[in-house]
Amino acid sequence: MTWSVEWDDAAVKELRKLDKQAQKDILRYFRERIATDDDPRRFGKQLSRELAGLWRYRVHNYRMICKIEDDTLVVLILRIGHRKDVYD
């Protein structure tokens, strides 16, 4: 069972603002790890409080806030940012 990774427009904008190496690392992470695994939850961490129901993935100092949709096998990337300000 493979998962598809989809990008919110805001996440695409945020990705483009990062340096080229960070972009490559993040894209590779989702292409090779998340999309090919049976359970994308094992690589992430479930968020709490006002972000309850969302998951976070980590690549270097960057965090990706995602929504996992089990019925359609989609990981929707909502936000990307540096770890110090992505949760604001």
Side-chain angles (χ1 to χ4, degrees):
M1 160 165 76
T2 60
W3 290 75
S4 64
V5 176
E6 295 182 2
W7 297 80
D8 186 69
D9 292 337
V12 171
K13 275 185 175 179
E14 292 167 344
L15 180 69
R16 287 184 179 151
K17 291 179 184 178
L18 303 179
D19 64 86
K20 295 294 182 192
Q21 187 59 47
Q23 290 179 21
K24 287 179 185 179
D25 292 343
I26 291 169
L27 291 172
R28 184 178 333 114
Y29 179 82
F30 280 99
R31 184 179 59 247
E32 294 177 2
R33 274 221 167 145
I34 304 303
T36 59
D37 199 85
D38 288 339
D39 184 17
R41 287 177 176 84
R42 74 186 192 115
F43 297 108
K45 180 179 179 185
Q46 190 170 19
L47 297 175
S48 59
R49 300 187 189 209
E50 58 272 353
L51 296 176
L54 300 178
W55 288 76
R56 115 33 212 143
Y57 294 96
R58 180 177 70 111
V59 176
H60 306 299
N61 284 329
Y62 297 99
R63 304 296 185 266
M64 285 66 62
I65 308 295
C66 302
K67 180 179 180 185
I68 298 176
E69 300 172 355
D70 290 309
D71 53 335
T72 56
L73 298 180
V74 170
V75 176
L76 177 62
I77 303 168
L78 302 173
R79 294 221 35 221
I80 297 175
H82 193 272
R83 65 187 177 102
K84 69 180 177 182
D85 55 18
V86 73
Y87 302 108
D88 296 337

XYZ file of all heavy atoms in Angstrom:
756
model
N 0.845 -1.164 0.000
C 0.000 0.000 0.000
C 0.896 1.235 0.000
O 1.752 1.395 0.852
C -0.869 -0.092 1.258
C -1.485 1.140 1.753
S -2.789 0.841 2.945
C -1.895 0.433 4.419
N 0.722 2.085 -0.983
C 1.538 3.291 -1.061
C 0.668 4.523 -0.813
O -0.506 4.559 -1.162
C 2.214 3.431 -2.429
O 1.216 3.487 -3.437
C 3.152 2.274 -2.690
N 1.284 5.504 -0.230
C 0.620 6.759 0.090
C 1.009 7.804 -0.936
O 2.130 7.803 -1.439
C 1.050 7.215 1.476
C 0.499 6.367 2.564
C 0.901 5.114 2.918
C -0.576 6.688 3.434
N 0.161 4.642 3.959
C -0.759 5.595 4.308
C -1.393 7.804 3.579
C -1.740 5.583 5.289
C -2.358 7.787 4.560
C -2.529 6.694 5.398
N 0.099 8.701 -1.223
C 0.459 9.827 -2.085
C 0.677 11.052 -1.200
O 0.032 11.219 -0.171
C -0.623 10.086 -3.134
O -1.818 10.472 -2.516
N 1.608 11.873 -1.614
C 1.946 13.090 -0.881
C 1.434 14.266 -1.695
O 1.771 14.415 -2.861
C 3.468 13.197 -0.665
C 3.816 14.499 0.017
C 3.970 12.013 0.143
N 0.595 15.089 -1.064
C 0.053 16.265 -1.730
C 0.479 17.511 -0.968
O 0.727 17.460 0.234
C -1.476 16.181 -1.820
C -1.937 15.038 -2.689
C -3.447 14.963 -2.819
O -4.156 15.828 -2.263
O -3.918 14.021 -3.470
N 0.561 18.615 -1.686
C 1.073 19.864 -1.122
C 0.002 20.936 -1.151
O -0.598 21.205 -2.191
C 2.273 20.330 -1.942
C 3.415 19.393 -1.895
C 3.571 18.233 -2.605
C 4.568 19.499 -1.069
N 4.743 17.623 -2.274
C 5.382 18.388 -1.329
C 4.994 20.440 -0.135
C 6.590 18.188 -0.689
C 6.206 20.248 0.502
C 6.985 19.134 0.226
N -0.205 21.582 -0.018
C -1.052 22.758 0.056
C -0.298 23.916 -0.609
O 0.933 23.940 -0.621
C -1.345 23.076 1.521
C -2.331 24.204 1.675
O -3.505 23.991 1.330
O -1.915 25.289 2.139
N -1.032 24.880 -1.168
C -0.384 26.013 -1.846
C 0.550 26.778 -0.913
O 1.629 27.216 -1.323
C -1.434 26.958 -2.422
C -2.201 26.324 -3.579
O -1.656 25.387 -4.197
O -3.326 26.764 -3.864
N 0.141 26.943 0.348
C 0.989 27.661 1.317
C 2.292 26.908 1.561
O 3.359 27.517 1.682
C 0.231 27.859 2.625
N 2.222 25.581 1.619
C 3.423 24.773 1.842
C 4.381 24.873 0.653
O 5.600 24.900 0.837
C 3.043 23.325 2.107
N 3.841 24.934 -0.540
C 4.685 25.068 -1.734
C 5.426 26.399 -1.694
O 6.631 26.467 -1.981
C 3.839 24.950 -3.028
C 4.660 25.292 -4.248
C 3.264 23.549 -3.152
N 4.736 27.465 -1.305
C 5.377 28.780 -1.191
C 6.489 28.748 -0.152
O 7.576 29.290 -0.370
C 4.349 29.843 -0.781
C 3.586 30.432 -1.901
C 2.709 31.551 -1.353
C 1.998 32.275 -2.463
N 1.142 33.345 -1.938
N 6.210 28.131 0.982
C 7.202 28.064 2.045
C 8.409 27.223 1.630
O 9.542 27.547 1.970
C 6.575 27.509 3.321
C 5.553 28.453 3.926
C 4.687 27.821 4.993
O 4.633 26.580 5.093
O 4.050 28.585 5.736
N 8.165 26.147 0.886
C 9.257 25.302 0.400
C 10.168 26.082 -0.539
O 11.386 25.975 -0.463
C 8.701 24.060 -0.293
C 9.733 23.092 -0.844
C 10.487 22.413 0.299
C 9.072 22.048 -1.724
N 9.590 26.881 -1.405
C 10.379 27.647 -2.375
C 11.269 28.696 -1.718
O 12.266 29.115 -2.304
C 9.458 28.306 -3.394
C 8.871 27.320 -4.356
C 8.051 27.996 -5.407
N 7.521 27.008 -6.341
C 6.395 27.151 -6.995
N 5.672 28.238 -6.862
N 5.980 26.203 -7.816
N 10.922 29.119 -0.516
C 11.716 30.121 0.192
C 12.963 29.524 0.837
O 13.875 30.261 1.204
C 10.873 30.794 1.272
C 9.776 31.667 0.716
C 8.961 32.272 1.833
C 7.800 33.076 1.273
N 6.967 33.625 2.364
N 13.016 28.204 0.963
C 14.155 27.547 1.599
C 15.318 27.433 0.616
O 15.134 27.516 -0.604
C 13.757 26.160 2.085
C 12.579 26.079 3.051
C 12.301 24.631 3.408
C 12.844 26.893 4.297
N 16.516 27.185 1.161
C 17.664 27.009 0.271
C 17.526 25.697 -0.513
O 16.778 24.814 -0.137
C 18.978 27.048 1.069
C 19.078 25.902 2.050
O 19.526 24.817 1.650
O 18.705 26.099 3.227
N 18.246 25.613 -1.608
C 18.093 24.486 -2.548
C 18.371 23.129 -1.908
O 17.677 22.163 -2.183
C 19.004 24.682 -3.765
C 18.644 25.881 -4.601
C 17.293 25.717 -5.245
C 16.974 26.916 -6.118
N 15.587 26.935 -6.546
N 19.377 23.054 -1.056
C 19.704 21.767 -0.432
C 18.587 21.320 0.511
O 18.232 20.146 0.534
C 21.036 21.838 0.325
C 21.495 20.493 0.837
C 21.680 19.465 -0.282
O 22.299 19.766 -1.301
N 21.139 18.278 -0.100
N 18.027 22.241 1.268
C 16.913 21.903 2.166
C 15.704 21.438 1.355
O 15.027 20.480 1.731
C 16.551 23.092 3.035
N 15.443 22.101 0.235
C 14.344 21.687 -0.627
C 14.535 20.250 -1.112
O 13.611 19.434 -1.054
C 14.243 22.609 -1.844
C 13.762 23.994 -1.544
C 13.721 24.859 -2.790
O 13.681 24.368 -3.920
N 13.742 26.169 -2.593
N 15.736 19.937 -1.570
C 16.032 18.594 -2.062
C 15.860 17.554 -0.958
O 15.291 16.485 -1.181
C 17.456 18.519 -2.609
C 17.647 19.214 -3.914
C 19.088 19.100 -4.371
C 19.332 19.890 -5.623
N 20.727 19.817 -6.063
N 16.363 17.869 0.242
C 16.271 16.927 1.357
C 14.818 16.660 1.751
O 14.431 15.519 2.000
C 17.045 17.447 2.569
C 18.546 17.466 2.330
O 19.021 16.800 1.384
O 19.246 18.151 3.104
N 14.008 17.701 1.791
C 12.600 17.547 2.161
C 11.846 16.755 1.100
O 11.083 15.839 1.413
C 11.959 18.928 2.402
C 12.548 19.538 3.683
C 10.447 18.830 2.481
C 12.205 20.994 3.899
N 12.063 17.089 -0.159
C 11.389 16.362 -1.241
C 11.804 14.891 -1.257
O 10.961 14.003 -1.440
C 11.678 17.020 -2.587
C 11.047 18.397 -2.789
C 11.567 19.029 -4.065
C 9.535 18.297 -2.796
N 13.087 14.620 -1.046
C 13.574 13.240 -1.012
C 12.959 12.477 0.166
O 12.565 11.328 0.035
C 15.096 13.203 -0.922
C 15.629 11.782 -0.985
C 17.144 11.648 -0.950
N 17.881 12.780 -1.453
C 18.668 13.557 -0.693
N 18.797 13.330 0.602
N 19.323 14.560 -1.229
N 12.860 13.135 1.309
C 12.287 12.510 2.501
C 10.862 12.040 2.232
O 10.504 10.898 2.530
C 12.305 13.516 3.658
C 11.706 12.996 4.934
C 12.453 12.206 5.792
C 10.402 13.300 5.288
C 11.910 11.729 6.968
C 9.851 12.827 6.458
C 10.611 12.045 7.296
O 10.061 11.568 8.457
N 10.044 12.900 1.648
C 8.661 12.519 1.385
C 8.541 11.501 0.257
O 7.693 10.625 0.298
C 7.798 13.752 1.105
C 7.388 14.456 2.362
C 8.063 15.570 2.799
C 6.351 13.974 3.127
C 7.706 16.205 3.971
C 5.979 14.594 4.302
C 6.653 15.717 4.733
N 9.404 11.601 -0.738
C 9.357 10.675 -1.869
C 9.827 9.278 -1.474
O 9.205 8.279 -1.827
C 10.200 11.227 -3.022
C 10.152 10.393 -4.283
C 10.988 11.005 -5.403
N 12.392 11.145 -5.033
C 13.022 12.321 -4.867
N 12.389 13.456 -5.048
N 14.294 12.355 -4.530
N 10.920 9.196 -0.712
C 11.520 7.900 -0.413
C 11.016 7.264 0.870
O 11.001 6.043 0.978
C 13.038 8.051 -0.352
C 13.647 8.405 -1.688
C 15.149 8.620 -1.619
O 15.739 8.455 -0.526
O 15.737 8.980 -2.657
N 10.644 8.062 1.855
C 10.231 7.492 3.138
C 8.725 7.415 3.288
O 8.171 6.367 3.547
C 10.778 8.330 4.281
C 12.135 7.955 4.675
C 12.211 7.978 6.172
N 13.441 7.325 6.549
C 14.178 7.665 7.557
N 13.802 8.661 8.320
N 15.263 7.016 7.825
N 8.066 8.545 3.176
C 6.651 8.628 3.500
C 5.796 7.960 2.423
O 4.914 7.167 2.732
C 6.221 10.095 3.711
C 7.083 10.751 4.781
C 4.743 10.188 4.050
C 7.080 10.076 6.124
N 6.044 8.257 1.166
C 5.201 7.732 0.088
C 5.345 6.230 -0.083
O 4.416 5.567 -0.535
C 5.530 8.441 -1.220
N 6.466 5.656 0.289
C 6.689 4.234 0.038
C 6.389 3.344 1.240
O 6.395 2.128 1.109
C 8.144 3.988 -0.386
O 9.007 4.438 0.655
C 8.451 4.711 -1.685
N 6.119 3.901 2.383
C 5.908 3.107 3.590
C 4.430 2.775 3.771
O 3.556 3.484 3.288
C 6.430 3.871 4.819
C 6.665 2.939 5.974
O 7.751 2.336 6.044
O 5.760 2.795 6.795
N 4.154 1.693 4.488
C 2.776 1.300 4.757
C 2.106 2.187 5.793
O 0.898 2.352 5.782
C 2.711 -0.158 5.235
C 2.999 -1.128 4.109
O 2.847 -0.742 2.936
O 3.371 -2.276 4.408
N 2.883 2.745 6.724
C 2.325 3.582 7.777
C 3.171 4.845 7.950
O 4.222 4.802 8.592
C 2.272 2.805 9.094
C 1.602 3.585 10.206
O 0.901 4.571 9.908
O 1.781 3.205 11.370
N 2.729 5.976 7.406
C 3.522 7.203 7.518
C 3.597 7.738 8.947
O 4.436 8.572 9.247
C 2.792 8.186 6.605
C 1.402 7.684 6.536
C 1.501 6.193 6.649
N 2.758 7.243 9.827
C 2.756 7.722 11.214
C 4.019 7.304 11.970
O 4.401 7.957 12.925
C 1.532 7.207 11.946
C 0.261 7.899 11.521
C -0.944 7.307 12.226
N -2.141 8.035 11.887
C -2.860 7.818 10.803
N -2.490 6.886 9.948
N -3.939 8.522 10.565
N 4.659 6.251 11.551
C 5.813 5.778 12.306
C 7.019 6.704 12.186
O 7.941 6.639 12.988
C 6.181 4.349 11.939
C 6.837 4.170 10.615
C 7.011 2.677 10.340
N 7.872 2.481 9.212
C 9.055 1.911 9.265
N 9.509 1.438 10.403
N 9.778 1.781 8.186
N 7.033 7.602 11.205
C 8.131 8.554 11.043
C 7.827 9.909 11.669
O 8.713 10.725 11.823
C 8.447 8.772 9.556
C 8.916 7.530 8.874
C 8.105 6.878 7.970
C 10.167 7.008 9.148
C 8.538 5.730 7.329
C 10.604 5.856 8.513
C 9.782 5.210 7.611
N 6.565 10.159 11.991
C 6.168 11.470 12.484
C 5.804 11.460 13.953
O 5.967 10.470 14.662
N 5.305 12.601 14.380
C 4.868 12.760 15.756
C 3.523 13.469 15.730
O 3.360 14.478 15.048
C 5.881 13.589 16.537
C 5.507 13.794 17.971
C 6.565 14.602 18.700
C 6.140 14.797 20.142
N 7.074 15.670 20.859
N 2.571 12.928 16.494
C 1.252 13.538 16.546
C 1.307 14.811 17.382
O 1.929 14.846 18.438
C 0.244 12.563 17.139
C -1.172 13.035 17.010
C -2.168 11.955 17.389
O -1.826 10.993 18.060
N -3.391 12.116 16.957
N 0.651 15.850 16.879
C 0.646 17.126 17.574
C -0.545 17.207 18.524
O -1.507 16.451 18.402
C 0.603 18.271 16.563
C 1.818 18.338 15.643
C 1.625 19.430 14.589
C 3.080 18.587 16.426
N -0.473 18.138 19.466
C -1.529 18.262 20.467
C -2.022 19.707 20.529
O -1.602 20.560 19.753
C -1.002 17.826 21.831
O 0.098 18.621 22.199
N -2.903 19.960 21.455
C -3.512 21.270 21.709
C -4.230 21.797 20.481
O -5.044 21.090 19.908
C -2.488 22.242 22.243
C -1.891 21.745 23.543
C -1.009 22.751 24.156
N -0.306 22.129 25.284
C 0.091 22.791 26.313
N -0.117 24.081 26.394
N 0.721 22.171 27.285
N -3.932 23.011 20.050
C -4.659 23.589 18.916
C -4.305 22.933 17.588
O -5.000 23.107 16.597
C -4.464 25.109 18.827
C -3.050 25.579 18.698
C -2.354 25.796 20.037
O -2.984 25.719 21.093
O -1.137 26.031 20.005
N -3.234 22.169 17.547
C -2.848 21.440 16.325
C -3.201 19.953 16.412
O -2.679 19.151 15.641
C -1.351 21.618 16.064
C -0.896 23.048 15.780
C 0.623 23.110 15.630
C -1.571 23.607 14.552
N -4.081 19.601 17.323
C -4.473 18.196 17.491
C -5.064 17.662 16.191
O -5.788 18.353 15.478
C -5.492 18.067 18.619
N -4.716 16.430 15.874
C -5.175 15.808 14.641
C -4.176 15.933 13.507
O -4.326 15.283 12.474
N -3.166 16.768 13.685
C -2.127 16.939 12.667
C -0.865 16.217 13.105
O -0.691 15.877 14.267
C -1.835 18.426 12.450
C -3.008 19.276 11.982
C -2.593 20.731 11.867
C -3.544 18.772 10.659
N 0.018 15.987 12.142
C 1.277 15.288 12.400
C 2.429 16.169 11.975
O 2.294 16.997 11.071
C 1.311 13.972 11.618
C 0.384 12.976 12.212
C -0.980 12.957 12.102
C 0.735 11.877 13.040
N -1.488 11.903 12.811
C -0.458 11.213 13.402
C 1.937 11.377 13.511
C -0.469 10.092 14.198
C 1.919 10.252 14.302
C 0.720 9.625 14.639
N 3.583 15.953 12.590
C 4.767 16.706 12.220
C 5.881 15.752 11.831
O 6.048 14.694 12.412
C 5.103 17.620 13.328
C 6.175 17.740 14.217
C 7.536 17.537 14.233
N 7.924 17.118 15.590
C 8.847 16.245 15.840
N 9.506 15.674 14.879
N 9.142 15.896 17.038
N 6.596 16.165 10.786
C 7.766 15.430 10.336
C 8.964 16.358 10.425
O 8.830 17.570 10.289
C 7.588 14.932 8.896
C 6.497 13.908 8.778
C 5.213 14.269 8.393
C 6.747 12.581 9.085
C 4.208 13.325 8.304
C 5.738 11.636 9.003
C 4.475 12.017 8.609
O 3.488 11.087 8.541
N 10.135 15.782 10.627
C 11.341 16.561 10.859
C 12.403 16.197 9.823
O 12.713 15.031 9.614
C 11.866 16.252 12.258
C 13.108 16.980 12.629
C 13.470 16.645 14.053
N 13.931 15.262 14.151
C 15.184 14.915 14.408
N 16.100 15.828 14.610
N 15.530 13.652 14.458
N 12.968 17.218 9.202
C 14.121 17.074 8.317
C 15.084 18.191 8.694
O 14.789 19.365 8.478
C 13.740 17.176 6.822
C 14.981 17.122 5.953
C 12.758 16.091 6.440
N 16.206 17.810 9.289
C 17.191 18.766 9.805
C 16.506 19.730 10.778
O 15.879 19.289 11.716
C 17.921 19.488 8.677
C 18.546 18.568 7.681
N 19.519 17.646 8.016
C 18.319 18.400 6.360
C 19.864 16.963 6.939
N 19.160 17.401 5.924
N 16.604 21.028 10.555
C 15.981 22.010 11.441
C 14.606 22.453 10.950
O 14.055 23.418 11.456
C 16.876 23.246 11.588
C 18.046 22.980 12.501
O 17.958 22.181 13.430
N 19.154 23.639 12.235
N 14.057 21.749 9.985
C 12.771 22.120 9.416
C 11.700 21.131 9.854
O 11.965 19.945 10.039
C 12.848 22.191 7.890
C 13.791 23.260 7.436
C 15.082 22.951 7.048
C 13.403 24.591 7.433
C 15.967 23.936 6.661
C 14.283 25.586 7.046
C 15.557 25.252 6.665
O 16.437 26.236 6.288
N 10.493 21.656 10.008
C 9.352 20.836 10.388
C 8.269 20.989 9.336
O 8.039 22.072 8.805
C 8.778 21.267 11.748
C 9.790 21.268 12.878
C 10.304 19.854 13.157
N 11.192 19.819 14.307
C 12.508 19.906 14.257
N 13.111 20.045 13.094
N 13.246 19.838 15.343
N 7.594 19.885 9.041
C 6.481 19.887 8.114
C 5.235 19.480 8.890
O 5.221 18.433 9.524
C 6.709 18.895 6.967
C 7.715 19.349 5.933
S 9.416 19.505 6.470
C 9.838 17.871 6.935
N 4.210 20.323 8.849
C 2.943 20.040 9.499
C 2.038 19.411 8.445
O 1.817 19.982 7.378
C 2.290 21.333 10.045
C 3.263 22.111 10.920
C 1.004 21.002 10.782
C 3.685 21.427 12.176
N 1.522 18.212 8.759
C 0.770 17.443 7.769
C -0.538 16.922 8.339
O -0.684 16.744 9.541
C 1.591 16.250 7.299
S 3.168 16.699 6.591
N -1.445 16.644 7.437
C -2.697 15.986 7.780
C -2.692 14.641 7.072
O -2.434 14.574 5.863
C -3.882 16.830 7.315
C -5.212 16.219 7.638
C -6.344 17.124 7.182
C -7.666 16.482 7.519
N -8.789 17.271 7.001
N -2.960 13.580 7.809
C -2.981 12.241 7.230
C -4.428 11.832 7.002
O -5.229 11.805 7.938
C -2.261 11.238 8.147
C -0.788 11.636 8.300
C -2.396 9.821 7.593
C -0.003 10.779 9.256
N -4.753 11.535 5.757
C -6.110 11.150 5.384
C -6.117 9.656 5.066
O -5.704 9.236 3.980
C -6.584 11.977 4.195
C -6.592 13.472 4.500
C -6.870 14.336 3.292
O -6.974 13.794 2.161
O -6.975 15.562 3.466
N -6.583 8.852 6.019
C -6.535 7.399 5.889
C -7.441 6.864 4.788
O -7.085 5.891 4.111
C -6.928 6.745 7.216
C -5.868 6.951 8.277
O -4.692 6.660 7.994
O -6.219 7.404 9.378
N -8.604 7.458 4.610
C -9.552 6.917 3.635
C -9.077 7.046 2.198
O -9.424 6.238 1.351
C -10.924 7.558 3.811
C -10.888 9.075 3.791
O -9.831 9.647 4.102
O -11.915 9.681 3.446
N -8.248 8.053 1.904
C -7.738 8.233 0.540
C -6.242 7.977 0.420
O -5.677 8.169 -0.658
C -8.037 9.669 0.051
O -7.464 10.600 0.979
C -9.525 9.910 -0.079
N -5.596 7.556 1.511
C -4.151 7.290 1.542
C -3.341 8.496 1.062
O -2.489 8.401 0.189
C -3.805 6.056 0.708
C -4.414 4.733 1.171
C -3.985 3.608 0.249
C -4.034 4.420 2.600
N -3.630 9.652 1.675
C -2.968 10.903 1.302
C -2.322 11.516 2.535
O -2.919 11.565 3.604
C -3.982 11.901 0.697
C -3.380 13.275 0.533
C -4.491 11.393 -0.632
N -1.090 11.985 2.356
C -0.435 12.819 3.354
C -0.414 14.225 2.759
O 0.246 14.471 1.755
C 0.998 12.337 3.660
C 1.677 13.285 4.627
C 0.979 10.923 4.214
N -1.177 15.125 3.372
C -1.303 16.492 2.880
C -0.382 17.395 3.690
O -0.554 17.542 4.904
C -2.748 16.976 2.996
C -3.020 18.417 2.583
C -2.693 18.629 1.108
C -4.456 18.790 2.875
N 0.596 18.000 3.032
C 1.551 18.884 3.696
C 0.943 20.282 3.737
O 0.664 20.877 2.701
C 2.902 18.892 2.966
C 3.440 17.466 2.882
C 3.882 19.818 3.673
C 4.591 17.291 1.950
N 0.745 20.783 4.961
C 0.084 22.074 5.149
C 1.057 23.223 5.342
O 0.832 24.322 4.846
C -0.855 22.007 6.364
C -1.933 20.937 6.294
C -2.671 20.851 7.614
C -2.891 21.237 5.165
N 2.133 22.992 6.101
C 3.105 24.048 6.400
C 4.507 23.473 6.435
O 4.705 22.334 6.820
C 2.833 24.672 7.765
C 1.546 25.412 7.846
C 1.555 26.719 8.586
N 2.741 27.516 8.485
C 3.266 28.160 9.512
N 2.754 28.079 10.703
N 4.339 28.906 9.346
N 5.478 24.324 6.096
C 6.889 23.986 6.214
C 7.574 25.200 6.803
O 7.322 26.331 6.378
C 7.523 23.661 4.846
C 6.879 22.447 4.229
C 9.026 23.466 4.988
C 7.376 22.138 2.841
N 8.443 24.964 7.776
C 9.164 26.095 8.338
C 10.264 25.654 9.274
O 10.389 24.472 9.605
N 11.056 26.630 9.698
C 12.113 26.361 10.659
C 11.473 25.973 11.980
O 10.396 26.451 12.327
C 13.002 27.599 10.824
C 14.269 27.303 11.548
N 14.342 27.352 12.923
C 15.490 26.930 11.110
C 15.570 27.029 13.296
N 16.293 26.773 12.206
N 12.149 25.150 12.727
C 11.571 24.608 13.955
C 11.216 25.664 14.982
O 10.323 25.469 15.795
C 12.522 23.585 14.576
C 13.823 24.171 15.057
C 14.768 23.066 15.493
N 16.035 23.612 15.893
C 16.405 23.771 17.152
N 15.608 23.425 18.120
N 17.594 24.272 17.429
N 11.854 26.824 14.941
C 11.578 27.847 15.949
C 10.279 28.612 15.691
O 9.742 29.210 16.601
C 12.742 28.826 16.053
C 12.924 29.711 14.845
C 14.083 30.647 15.021
C 14.245 31.454 13.738
N 15.362 32.347 13.801
N 9.775 28.605 14.451
C 8.572 29.403 14.190
C 7.483 28.716 13.373
O 6.522 29.359 13.006
C 8.952 30.731 13.540
C 9.775 30.570 12.284
O 9.788 29.467 11.705
O 10.411 31.537 11.881
N 7.596 27.436 13.119
C 6.595 26.768 12.290
C 5.273 26.567 13.037
O 4.212 26.498 12.443
C 7.118 25.418 11.739
C 7.194 24.371 12.817
C 6.256 24.943 10.586
N 5.318 26.511 14.362
C 4.103 26.242 15.141
C 3.321 27.501 15.473
O 2.256 27.428 16.053
C 4.475 25.507 16.435
C 5.206 24.212 16.166
C 6.558 24.095 16.439
C 4.550 23.119 15.627
C 7.236 22.918 16.183
C 5.220 21.944 15.370
C 6.564 21.843 15.650
O 7.229 20.686 15.402
N 3.826 28.662 15.113
C 3.137 29.932 15.420
C 1.894 30.115 14.580
O 1.778 29.712 13.496
C 4.073 31.125 15.211
C 5.246 31.088 16.182
O 5.117 30.454 17.232
O 6.279 31.694 15.848
